[in-house]
Amino acid sequence: MATNQQNHLLAFFTAMDNQGGIIVRDAPKLDLDLYISNYKGRTRFERLLVIGQCSVTLCLDALKAAIVEAKKGKDVQRYRDAWECIRTAAPAEPEAIWDDAWVNATERANKLETQRLEAELKGYKNNLVKESIRIGHRDLGEHLESIGDLNGAADAYLKMRPDASTQSHILDVGKHIISTMLQKRDWPGALANINKVLVANMSPEEQNAEQPYQKMVSGLAYLGTEKYHEAARSFLEVGDPIVCQRYNDVVSSNDIATYGGLLALASMDRLELQIRVLDNSAFRNYLELEPHIRKAVSMFVNGRYSACLAILESYRADYLLDIYLQKHVASLFSLIRSKCIVQYFLPFSCVTLDSMNTAFAKPGESLEDELISMIKSGVLKARINTIDKLLVAVSNNARVAMQTQGIEAARNYEREALERIRRMSLAAADLEVRGQSRKIGSTGGNLAGVGDIWSDDSNRRLYNPGETASS
Amino acid sequence: MDQLAPVLLAFPPENPTDDNDTYDKAVKAHLNRLTKLLKDNNADLILHGPQLLELLSPAVNSLSYLAVLHTLVIPSLATSMARDLLLEKLAIFLVSFDGRQCRYAGTHLHDLLSTVGSGQYLPPSVAVDVLATAILKLDPTGRMLTSTHIILARLAYNTDNIEPALKVIDKIIVFYPNMINYKEPQYLCDLDLFPPAYITRENGLTAVVKAAAVMEYDLLCGMMYCARREWAKAHAAFERVVTFPTREGGTSKIMAEAYKKWVLVSLLLNGKHTDPPSYTGAAANKLYGTLGKSYVSVATSFVTENAEGLKAEVEKNAEIWQEDGNTGLIQEVLAAYQKWRVLNLQDIYTKISISEIREQTLSAETGEKLGKDEDVEALVQNMIIGGMLKGVIEKNDDGTVFLTFLSSTTELSELEFADELLRMASRLKELQPIFRATSERLGTSKDYVKHIMKESKRNEKSDAPDPTLGFDAQVDDEDLMGGVIQTG
């Protein structure tokens, strides 16, 4: 029985791998129940499904939880997705049996509800009460979102805008639209909306209350578009954790800490890390939630790069199971790693490869290939000495550079001057290569005075020497 | 014979003068006498030719010598004299004549040069040397192209006698025959004259030179440098053809041929291919894009690590290389591939063992690694000897042979640097006469003066801005000479 189960899991993950999905074999440090209780709303299902599809150890638990989560809602497609997964992964489980009754009942109810809301909205429109129309659109949008029709929901939310009369209404519209965009992973759209909606003039209190949401969404959008430095800045400026907690249908405070710390490590230098991360009193609250991030950052700032990398490496599985971070883990880790190597090497003119290996390489492996690719891409300004096993810094001799540049300039001047005169002479001797159409007209090419280089050929023919003499 | 000799020996006078006016008159008088002589006593000249040539000195009595020689050689070799002796005299004359005198007998001299250039009489190696020397006798600066240059280049390239031609083809050409605005010089014998002033079609020192011939000359030069593996000079020569001035969308097949070779030579010289300079004609550029496609794709794979890809690319188009006559260059490119890969290693390593080089670089000739470390060592050694690579091959105590890359630029001492700058400055000063000649030419040009007048008129009018005038100004700014005038 157990081996049978194993085989099904294997088949499931092979299929996932073939689809280009990420497979996490190591057990993450997170506790599934605790983790998911941090969130509310539609993101819970998304996260459970991702974990179910990616983590070998948590697969079954997560998928079962996802089924339960899906059945709590009204989105039939989500149930179908989760069921497809569990059907291949564990056909023996009771959750793997298709619940036709629930599906039919939900679909029918959804249809009725949609019709009801549409009819209601029509009624509001006939009555021409702005507020009611707005509410009608919102209700319809929320319903459509909950049954998984994101495009329909976005349309409905957009129609709220003409009827939004107060600042809070506009905010409301914006948040609803952004919510659908985040689910559709439309990062540029989310970014445009967050700036459009929330930048309007607000009182300081409002500003305080809205900043966490604004920063967290723009951070996610920047992360999604791989602008890591901007993303890090956004996450570090999120602000009040209590307000942030309110938006746990998007991300949790723990996530803010992880994203902010990790992105900062990948995109900032040591000084900036110290100022913006460690000395940042607002962000400290978040760091307390994820002490390992705090530790990694301070290790990096203190120059203990291998320890920093070791910490991050031990949490790699957790990062890989995060829906937003997942895709960027590999590039973020390699960014941090090459930064560590560059920083490690910075104070030296020469380092033995062995000490680099002990600091950065996995046991038994050599760092050389990585160093080569870093040198090639210009990240690391150094050269390798494979005979004495050294990494040597490139010395920039400004004098030599100046001298070569000076001589080069003189040489170029000479060459260019001669080339220009040569071309002028060619023009003066009427030796240019002409287009076919002009061939007939230029038979007198070598007669002095005919090769008029100042005016166009056609002008010359119209031009009468006698006339200029008089004019 | 007795009446011929005194006339022929009459010039130059015993105590020659440097005064242009006197010299000019004397030469002209002598020319008149010679002309008469040639007309009336042609048969005598042919008969007594050998003795007369013995009597005259080719370097001193150049004009008379030329006259006699011309009668003997043109239209066909005279029978009154042993063929070998006559040809020897011809060769001696052409390498020793007085350039100042012969300016007055351009047509005759040109006839002799063309005869030599035909390659029928003198052995090619001698002919090339004679032509090259004669060209420099006439124009010591070597800055001006004549029809003889083209004859020389053809002969040298076709008979593979490049060495003796180098002294001419190494010179950078800046003047061409029959440029406009050169008025007839007052004294043809004036030694301060610039070559374009006295080497003209009218006085016979050069024949008509067409654009195609100019390009052919540069193309031949490039090919000669290729034969000598002087890639930098070859590159410059081909580039002159590739960027040849065009107007009205003109292009030429020679330009396309040059472009193909230029691409390959860039690979050999710089290890990579770049787009033609910005001043290349637009239509020509388009032509290069279509005709040179397979060459550019070779260049693209040349810079990658994919040796097999390069090899495949080359083999796929073997017919094209054959047709274009570039098989040799392509072979060079294949051979150079690994060298450039080794050279690129210096961006990564300071020291690297020979066996590691073998592991990391592929030969494009086979698409595989070299078989033995010794082969790699030989390759690297050749690169060092050839000056392509700065480095040394050393051996460790444990027997590992390795290559140490040295810095490609060495720091000069303050003194050395000053010397170098001084040398540069004097080279730039040497350009002064060329600048002067060019600005003089422009200064006397009717069109240029017209242009200046138009410019100043427009400046006066500028208080009443007119959009059409503004547009005019833009057109004028495109003038080739606009930027250079101030430097002269």
Side-chain angles (χ1 to χ4, degrees):
Chain A
M1 177 69 194
T3 46
N4 203 7
Q5 179 57 43
Q6 287 288 326
N7 285 343
H8 286 304
L9 266 184
L10 189 68
F12 174 64
F13 281 108
T14 318
M16 281 292 135
D17 200 23
N18 288 343
Q19 285 167 24
I22 296 169
I23 310 291
V24 185
R25 286 181 185 78
D26 306 326
K29 292 193 188 324
L30 59 83
D31 179 274
L32 191 64
D33 293 338
L34 214 58
Y35 169 78
I36 208 65
S37 66
N38 273 335
Y39 303 95
K40 66 167 194 260
R42 284 172 62 82
T43 193
R44 282 169 64 101
F45 173 83
E46 284 183 87
R47 286 171 192 270
L48 286 169
L49 188 64
V50 164
I51 295 175
Q53 285 172 338
C54 297
S55 171
V56 177
T57 46
L58 293 177
C59 174
L60 279 188
D61 294 340
L63 284 179
K64 281 183 195 169
I67 295 268
V68 173
E69 185 66 34
K71 277 185 157 181
K72 260 194 250 167
K74 301 188 279 181
D75 192 340
V76 179
Q77 185 56 39
R78 291 192 147 182
Y79 175 66
R80 197 168 284 129
D81 290 344
W83 174 77
E84 292 274 356
C85 289
I86 202 160
R87 195 179 57 146
T88 22
E93 297 291 331
E95 280 84 355
I97 297 156
W98 181 246
D99 189 348
D100 212 27
W102 179 84
V103 171
N104 285 336
T106 316
E107 272 178 347
R108 206 176 312 117
N110 285 347
K111 216 181 231 166
L112 281 175
E113 178 72 3
T114 314
Q115 281 165 359
R116 182 183 72 80
L117 286 169
E118 277 169 350
E120 223 168 62
L121 181 62
K122 219 172 190 175
Y124 294 145
K125 279 185 178 165
N126 288 338
N127 291 339
L128 291 173
V129 182
K130 272 177 98 99
E131 181 60 9
S132 304
I133 298 173
R134 193 180 72 83
I135 298 289
H137 279 302
R138 193 194 66 194
D139 289 349
L140 181 61
E142 279 174 352
H143 169 69
L144 289 175
E145 187 180 346
S146 72
I147 65 169
D149 182 0
L150 293 176
N151 289 331
D155 279 350
Y157 291 143
L158 270 175
K159 285 182 190 146
M160 286 166 74
R161 192 161 270 169
D163 299 312
S165 43
T166 67
Q167 183 69 35
S168 64
H169 288 169
I170 294 174
L171 272 176
D172 192 42
V173 175
K175 282 179 187 171
H176 276 105
I177 293 175
I178 288 166
S179 158
T180 60
M181 283 179 161
L182 286 178
Q183 290 179 58
K184 286 194 284 184
R185 306 283 184 268
D186 178 1
W187 307 121
L191 199 59
N193 270 290
I194 197 75
N195 291 332
K196 198 156 62 186
V197 175
L198 296 173
V199 99
N201 47 348
M202 285 189 276
S203 64
E205 301 95 73
E206 275 176 319
Q207 186 82 42
N208 259 352
E210 296 308 332
Q211 178 164 333
Y213 182 74
Q214 182 189 0
K215 290 293 173 188
M216 124 193 347
V217 172
S218 47
L220 282 179
Y222 281 127
L223 172 65
T225 46
E226 293 179 8
K227 291 178 180 146
Y228 297 138
H229 192 255
E230 285 93 333
R233 293 280 301 269
S234 300
F235 285 124
L236 293 177
E237 287 164 7
V238 164
D240 196 347
I242 298 155
V243 185
C244 174
Q245 193 59 43
R246 249 184 263 153
Y247 296 103
N248 60 5
D249 56 336
V250 183
V251 288
S252 69
S253 315
N254 297 53
D255 290 341
I256 299 282
T258 314
Y259 297 165
L262 211 56
L263 287 165
L265 268 177
S267 62
M268 293 177 182
D269 61 24
R270 282 166 65 188
L271 185 70
E272 213 176 348
L273 278 173
Q274 179 73 47
I275 296 171
R276 288 193 198 275
V277 182
L278 295 181
D279 297 348
N280 182 340
S281 59
F283 196 66
R284 189 170 299 154
N285 297 326
Y286 292 98
L287 282 180
E288 272 158 18
L289 295 169
E290 295 285 337
H292 75 276
I293 288 284
R294 185 194 166 83
K295 221 162 137 192
V297 173
S298 49
M299 292 280 188
F300 185 90
V301 171
N302 292 324
R304 296 174 57 197
Y305 304 111
S306 43
C308 163
L309 288 177
I311 293 173
L312 294 182
E313 198 57 45
S314 68
Y315 279 87
R316 182 191 274 264
D318 290 56
Y319 302 149
L320 280 172
L321 291 180
D322 183 280
I323 47 169
Y324 296 117
L325 210 51
Q326 193 176 44
K327 276 187 199 138
H328 304 281
V329 168
S331 58
L332 285 176
F333 268 50
S334 82
L335 273 175
I336 296 173
R337 203 178 146 76
S338 46
K339 258 182 66 188
C340 283
I341 294 176
V342 171
Q343 292 284 341
Y344 178 89
F345 182 62
L346 208 57
F348 304 105
S349 68
C350 184
V351 176
T352 61
L353 285 179
D354 285 342
S355 64
M356 291 293 271
N357 279 340
T358 41
F360 293 108
K362 292 185 186 121
E365 281 178 36
S366 170
L367 203 60
E368 220 173 294
D369 287 339
E370 199 176 343
L371 289 178
I372 288 173
S373 65
M374 282 173 69
I375 293 172
K376 267 188 190 161
S377 62
V379 181
L380 186 64
K381 299 222 170 354
R383 301 280 182 267
I384 297 171
N385 177 341
T386 63
I387 301 303
D388 310 318
K389 301 285 174 204
L390 294 174
L391 185 68
V392 188
V394 178
S395 59
N396 276 331
N397 191 336
R399 256 188 77 76
V400 172
M402 180 275 288
Q403 287 178 346
T404 7
Q405 216 178 345
I407 291 169
E408 193 60 24
R411 233 172 246 150
N412 279 342
Y413 174 78
E414 183 189 4
R415 216 191 44 221
E416 193 177 323
L418 284 176
E419 176 65 17
R420 277 184 180 233
I421 294 182
R422 190 180 79 89
R423 296 176 76 81
M424 284 160 58
S425 302
L426 278 172
D430 200 30
L431 283 172
E432 295 140 309
V433 177
R434 282 156 184 279
Q436 287 290 329
S437 56
R438 295 285 177 195
K439 273 263 160 72
I440 316 123
S442 63
T443 43
N446 274 299
L447 288 176
V450 172
D452 189 344
I453 50 171
W454 295 108
S455 52
D456 194 277
D457 254 16
S458 51
N459 285 345
R460 184 170 4 117
R461 218 150 286 132
L462 295 170
Y463 160 88
N464 182 348
E467 265 176 28
T468 32
S470 60
S471 64
Chain B
M1 165 78 194
D2 292 341
Q3 68 192 75
L4 294 176
V7 179
L8 291 173
L9 283 167
F11 186 87
E14 287 292 315
N15 40 357
T17 164
D18 276 339
D19 176 36
N20 283 332
D21 188 38
T22 333
Y23 193 91
D24 191 54
K25 280 198 182 110
V27 174
K28 281 188 175 148
H30 185 59
L31 274 180
N32 277 336
R33 285 197 298 274
L34 277 182
T35 318
K36 196 158 168 286
L37 200 71
L38 286 177
K39 209 160 70 189
D40 301 346
N41 307 41
N42 206 354
D44 282 349
L45 272 178
I46 291 176
L47 191 64
H48 299 293
Q51 293 101 304
L52 290 171
L53 288 186
E54 287 300 329
L55 194 69
L56 298 165
S57 153
V60 182
N61 316 103
S62 296
L63 272 179
S64 312
Y65 204 98
L66 175 61
V68 179
L69 206 54
H70 190 265
T71 342
L72 291 174
V73 175
I74 309 285
S76 59
L77 294 187
T79 46
S80 65
M81 191 171 170
R83 182 187 160 95
D84 284 354
L85 192 65
L86 179 58
L87 291 179
E88 191 191 325
K89 293 285 178 201
L90 175 64
I92 288 174
F93 170 73
L94 287 178
V95 297
S96 58
F97 69 88
D98 177 7
R100 196 182 183 194
Q101 284 180 37
C102 289
R103 288 181 191 180
Y104 287 87
T107 325
H108 288 78
L109 186 66
H110 191 258
D111 284 346
L112 290 187
L113 289 174
S114 312
T115 312
V116 173
S118 71
Q120 287 174 332
Y121 298 130
L122 295 174
S125 59
V126 180
V128 170
D129 195 21
V130 163
L131 281 179
T133 317
I135 287 173
L136 291 181
K137 282 246 153 217
L138 262 180
D139 169 17
T141 64
R143 294 279 194 204
M144 178 164 172
L145 186 84
T146 65
S147 53
T148 322
H149 277 79
I150 294 150
I151 297 173
L152 169 76
R154 277 188 201 138
L155 186 67
Y157 181 73
N158 291 334
T159 62
D160 195 21
N161 285 297
I162 298 163
E163 181 81 36
L166 283 182
K167 53 189 170 196
V168 169
I169 63 171
D170 272 348
K171 297 275 199 288
I172 295 172
I173 302 282
V174 287
F175 296 121
Y176 295 89
N178 289 58
M179 295 192 287
I180 49 165
N181 306 325
Y182 268 110
K183 55 181 191 310
E184 187 89 353
Q186 194 182 1
Y187 302 116
L188 206 53
C189 58
D190 188 348
L191 287 177
D192 291 336
L193 280 183
F194 236 70
Y198 61 84
I199 303 180
T200 60
R201 197 165 61 99
E202 283 72 36
N203 73 14
L205 281 174
T206 175
V208 176
V209 174
K210 291 241 171 70
V214 178
M215 288 190 278
E216 187 192 342
Y217 174 73
D218 280 326
L219 187 69
L220 285 170
C221 285
M223 278 151 71
M224 283 191 258
Y225 288 127
C226 281
R228 294 176 56 79
R229 295 162 174 263
E230 294 187 35
W231 308 125
K233 288 179 179 176
H235 187 256
F238 289 138
E239 191 166 299
R240 284 199 291 272
V241 187
V242 169
T243 62
F244 201 83
T246 60
R247 61 199 286 193
E248 291 138 22
T251 49
S252 145
K253 194 166 179 298
I254 303 179
M255 292 170 78
E257 291 303 309
Y259 176 77
K260 294 170 183 172
K261 295 181 196 295
W262 179 77
V263 171
L264 296 181
V265 174
S266 325
L267 295 181
L268 295 170
L269 178 68
N270 302 322
K272 60 178 195 289
H273 155 70
T274 44
D275 286 334
S278 55
Y279 44 86
T280 312
N285 239 338
K286 217 193 243 161
L287 180 78
Y288 301 154
T290 44
L291 291 184
K293 204 183 265 164
S294 38
Y295 288 85
V296 174
S297 60
V298 165
T300 320
S301 26
F302 189 84
V303 290
T304 62
E305 298 283 341
N306 185 357
E308 270 171 66
L310 177 63
K311 188 171 168 255
E313 189 73 48
V314 165
E315 280 166 2
K316 192 176 73 190
N317 291 323
E319 262 175 48
I320 299 182
W321 321 138
Q322 185 78 36
E323 259 170 49
D324 293 343
N326 287 331
T327 314
L329 272 179
I330 283 282
Q331 288 306 326
E332 288 283 345
V333 167
L334 282 183
Y337 174 78
Q338 192 168 15
K339 292 185 184 175
W340 278 98
R341 295 271 77 79
V342 173
L343 202 61
N344 284 345
L345 289 179
Q346 71 176 346
D347 295 334
I348 299 173
Y349 299 99
T350 53
K351 287 184 187 177
I352 183 169
S353 70
I354 293 292
S355 54
E356 277 170 305
I357 297 182
R358 189 167 75 91
E359 285 301 314
Q360 294 199 13
T361 59
L362 302 176
S363 159
E365 282 160 304
T366 58
E368 287 164 13
K369 294 167 189 163
L370 288 185
K372 291 195 296 279
D373 283 358
E374 285 77 24
D375 296 340
V376 181
E377 199 179 332
L379 181 87
V380 173
Q381 200 67 263
N382 279 336
M383 288 170 68
I384 296 174
I385 293 168
M388 190 177 173
L389 172 70
K390 286 213 171 167
V392 278
I393 294 183
E394 291 169 288
K395 202 167 188 176
N396 240 354
D397 296 337
D398 61 0
T400 328
V401 186
F402 63 94
L403 168 69
T404 306
F405 292 104
L406 302 175
S407 164
S408 52
T409 48
T410 43
E411 187 175 345
L412 303 167
S413 76
E414 205 51 48
L415 213 62
E416 285 171 315
F417 185 57
D419 272 358
E420 186 65 30
L421 285 187
L422 216 61
R423 229 183 345 267
M424 283 323 279
S426 72
R427 282 175 68 101
L428 292 184
K429 269 200 197 106
E430 279 170 30
L431 300 181
Q432 273 302 325
I434 302 176
F435 286 159
R436 209 174 47 237
T438 308
S439 65
E440 258 169 39
R441 180 173 65 77
L442 288 177
T444 53
S445 149
K446 196 174 72 188
D447 298 299
Y448 178 64
V449 175
K450 212 164 68 196
H451 170 75
I452 293 288
M453 273 164 58
K454 213 167 77 188
E455 283 285 297
S456 58
K457 246 187 220 160
R458 204 180 48 220
N459 283 346
E460 282 165 27
K461 272 191 201 160
S462 62
D463 46 354
D466 182 339
T468 49
L469 270 179
F471 178 72
D472 241 352
Q474 276 178 347
V475 171
D476 277 333
D477 282 346
E478 284 175 7
D479 274 334
L480 261 176
M481 306 178 183
V484 185
I485 295 152
Q486 289 112 7
T487 49

